[in-house]
């Protein structure tokens, strides 16, 4: 059966900012936040953006390499800023910027940036077309073009792997 193309959506319709406080259960004995905890927060935040963009069931197809640039300490506030960067026929890239803030001094550092690809599935597990994203600002357009280049790189890598 032919699926209708979903309506396009503006970047701002699904963009999200969420903040977590690092508690003792999130840290190792040095008081540094576990990388896996931050990755889970990244996945959840990006997933919410993907859901809001599609309003259908979505799954994470991949997360690109993720480097942690600075340690995130016990008690820090971790803010994740996420939005749809790029959409293609059956997938979308969501970018997440991770900032760690000392709540006393207000000092903030850019800890990591992650790019995740989501795919929308129907109730039988069949991929659905993705609503095209409409970038609204110069920054959105820059991210769209960068996302497109990364999408192409991922495709090429998967083709090479076979
Ligand atoms: C993601 C998944 C649905 C892709 O299935 P598939 O049969 O490879 O799908 P298709 O080949 O039809 O590709 C569908 C889209 O996904 C993209 N895609 C597939 N694998 C991908 C990957 N590893 N990374 C990024 N994008 C991927 C394709 O490029 C395509 O998008 P496009 O049309 O915009 O180019 C399937 O691999 C899956 O269900 N994986 C498990 C997901 C999961 O459990 N995630 C964790 C919990 S949410």
């Amino acid at each position: 059966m032919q699926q209708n193309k979903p309506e396009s959506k503006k970047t701002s319709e699904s963009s999200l900012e969420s903040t977590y406080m690092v508690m003792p259960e999130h840290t190792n004995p040095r008081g540094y936040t576990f990388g896996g905890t931050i990755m889970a927060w990244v996945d959840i935040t990006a997933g919410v953006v993907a859901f809001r963009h599609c309003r259908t069931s979505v799954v994470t197809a991949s997360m690109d390499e993720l480097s942690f640039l600075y340690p995130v300490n016990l008690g820090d506030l971790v803010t994740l800023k996420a939005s749809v960067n790029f959409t293609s026929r059956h997938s979308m890239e969501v970018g997440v910027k991770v900032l760690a803030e000392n709540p006393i001094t207000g000092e903030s550092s850019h800890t990591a940036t992650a790019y995740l690809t989501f795919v929308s599935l129907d109730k039988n597990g069949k991929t659905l077309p993705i609503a095209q994203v409409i970038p609204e600002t110069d920054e959105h357009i820059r991210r769209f073009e960068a996302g497109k280049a990364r999408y192409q790189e991922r495709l090429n890598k998967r083709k090479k792997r076979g």
Side-chain angles (χ1 to χ4, degrees), residues 43 58-62 87-92 117-119 121 125 127 151 154-155 158 161:
D43 193 25
V58 292
V59 291
T60 316
S62 68
T87 50
S88 51
R89 230 171 100 65
H90 290 103
S91 64
M92 68 185 132
T117 301
F118 289 88
V119 175
L121 301 176
T127 52
Y151 165 76
R154 284 181 211 113
L155 266 186
R158 293 208 303 282
R161 277 204 309 255

Side-chain angles (χ1 to χ4, degrees), residues 5-145:
K5 204 170 163 3
E7 264 181 46
S8 303
K9 278 207 186 155
K10 292 178 189 162
T11 310
S12 60
E13 289 181 76
S14 57
S15 296
L16 175 70
E17 190 172 314
S18 58
T19 301
Y20 295 84
M21 179 176 258
V22 178
M23 303 302 275
E25 65 268 26
H26 301 135
T27 60
N28 67 18
R30 294 182 71 97
Y32 290 179
T33 310
F34 295 120
T37 298
I38 296 175
M39 285 164 82
W41 291 343
V42 163
D43 193 25
I44 291 165
T45 306
V48 173
V49 169
F51 267 117
R52 283 185 172 162
H53 183 78
C54 292
R55 296 293 177 194
T56 54
S57 178
V58 292
V59 291
T60 316
S62 68
M63 188 190 294
D64 291 5
E65 180 197 294
L66 181 62
S67 303
F68 297 104
L69 308 175
Y70 303 101
V72 179
N73 298 302
L74 178 62
D76 279 356
L77 301 176
V78 177
T79 296
L80 299 101
K81 297 182 179 187
S83 57
V84 175
N85 285 340
F86 173 72
T87 50
S88 51
R89 230 171 100 65
H90 290 103
S91 64
M92 68 185 132
E93 181 192 276
V94 177
V96 184
K97 188 173 181 177
V98 184
L99 300 154
E101 175 191 339
N102 179 314
I104 308 295
T105 64
E107 201 180 321
S108 175
S109 55
H110 177 190
T111 301
T113 294
Y115 301 108
L116 297 88
T117 301
F118 289 88
V119 175
S120 171
L121 301 176
D122 70 11
K123 59 182 186 326
N124 300 313
K126 191 174 167 343
T127 52
L128 289 168
I130 297 279
Q132 293 305 290
V133 70
I134 307 169
E136 299 159 270
T137 65
D138 289 348
E139 184 61 14
H140 294 166
I141 293 166
R142 186 194 64 72
R143 288 188 197 142
F144 185 93
E145 291 305 327

